Every structure is written in C-alpha cells, then in structure tokens.
Amino acid sequence: MSDFVDPAEITSDLVLSLHRFWLDARGSLVFPDRSNFTPEKLLPWLGHIQIVDVIDGGGDFLHRVIGTKTVEVVGRDLTNKYVSECQYEIGTEAMLERYRETAEKREPKFRKGTVIWALDKSWLDYQLVTAPISTNGTQVDQMITVIDYPNLN
C-alpha cells in the first residue's frame, strides 16, 4: 500500500521548487539527465537533499548523499549505505518499496507525514518529493529527494 500523496497536498516551497526544477530540467524527456543536477544548481536545497543510486534494477538502493538537515533530524548519516542494510522506523522493506515504486512509475512522488526527531524524540512534520533521474536517458539509475521539516526552526 502506497503512502504517496497528491502534489496538491504539498505546501512546502522547498519541495515544490525542486519539483519545478525537475520539470524544467526534464523538458521533453521522460526524466531529466543527472548532469542537470550539479552541486551549484542544487544550492537552494542544500542540506535537504538525498540522492540514491538504483542498484540491480531496484533490487536495492545506495544512499549516495544524505543532507545535513536530515542527518540532524534522524540522528544518523546513511551516506554510502545500502537501504537493505539500514533500519528505518517504517521498516527496511517498506523503504525499499517506496523507492521501487518511484523508479517503476518513472515520475516524481510526494509524501508527507511525521518523523521522530532524534534530538528530543518529539514528532516533526515532513513533506518530500522523490524524483527519478538518469545518466543514460533510458533508465532510472538515480533518484533525488528533497525533504522539508516545515515546523523545525
């Protein structure tokens, strides 16, 4: 069962602006090329970005980059770790399924909900978009996520 939401439910300017950037970078393609997502172009979302590599056609995913804001909120850095080797509040298989569904649909997917903040164990709202990108133009081999914690100062 998917927990994705309609984009109209997203109110975060941070999340919506990455979606607009993804749409502009895509142009007439199915999904944009990874070369459009340079560190310089991603500055507005720095700290909130996650990039995962698609491994074995979605058999697993490698956390290539985890933004510092997410590391602060969840209390750990998963950079260079496989999703299958990590523990998540929702469960490892559920996290794998979220990524697989986005890769299979080949379009941005939005989510919102709450997460436990590592600092004081309080609940924080989040909103995010995960969008497919490609290095060869034909298959999803990476995905980029921007996650916002609107109530976090």
Side-chain angles (χ1 to χ4, degrees):
M1 176 156 169
S2 175
D3 66 342
F4 295 118
V5 299
D6 188 277
E9 295 184 44
I10 301 297
T11 58
S12 165
D13 289 335
L14 195 69
V15 171
L16 294 171
S17 64
L18 180 78
H19 182 238
R20 285 190 300 274
F21 178 79
W22 184 91
L23 290 170
D24 290 344
R26 178 186 71 179
S28 63
L29 303 172
V30 175
F31 37 77
D33 189 271
R34 173 68 172 92
S35 64
N36 290 302
F37 295 82
T38 62
E40 297 81 17
K41 290 181 181 175
L42 295 175
L43 282 176
W45 306 282
L46 205 60
H48 295 264
I49 287 181
Q50 298 178 41
I51 297 174
V52 296
D53 293 341
V54 179
I55 307 297
D56 295 330
D60 206 347
F61 301 87
L62 177 70
H63 291 287
R64 177 70 53 205
V65 173
I66 300 287
T68 55
K69 185 56 70 176
T70 297
V71 171
E72 174 188 341
V73 168
V74 300
R76 60 191 173 138
D77 186 354
L78 301 177
T79 301
N80 293 322
K81 294 186 178 4
Y82 289 94
V83 170
S84 63
E85 299 172 343
C86 299
Q87 293 182 352
Y88 303 89
E89 190 175 306
I90 63 166
T92 301
E93 191 56 37
M95 185 62 74
L96 286 166
E97 283 305 312
R98 287 176 172 176
Y99 283 128
R100 286 179 186 135
E101 186 172 353
T102 301
E104 289 168 9
K105 299 283 185 184
R106 300 165 60 118
E107 62 186 20
K109 294 293 181 181
F110 298 84
R111 290 189 5 243
K112 68 179 192 174
T114 56
V115 65
I116 294 177
W117 189 17
L119 183 64
D120 67 4
K121 305 300 183 208
S122 63
W123 289 93
L124 283 179
D125 292 334
Y126 72 85
Q127 296 183 22
L128 67 78
V129 62
T130 299
I133 53 181
S134 177
T135 57
N136 64 16
T138 60
Q139 68 185 37
V140 176
D141 48 20
Q142 288 188 322
M143 289 184 285
I144 186 166
T145 297
V146 164
I147 184 166
D148 189 15
Y149 307 95
N151 301 334
L152 187 62
N153 295 329

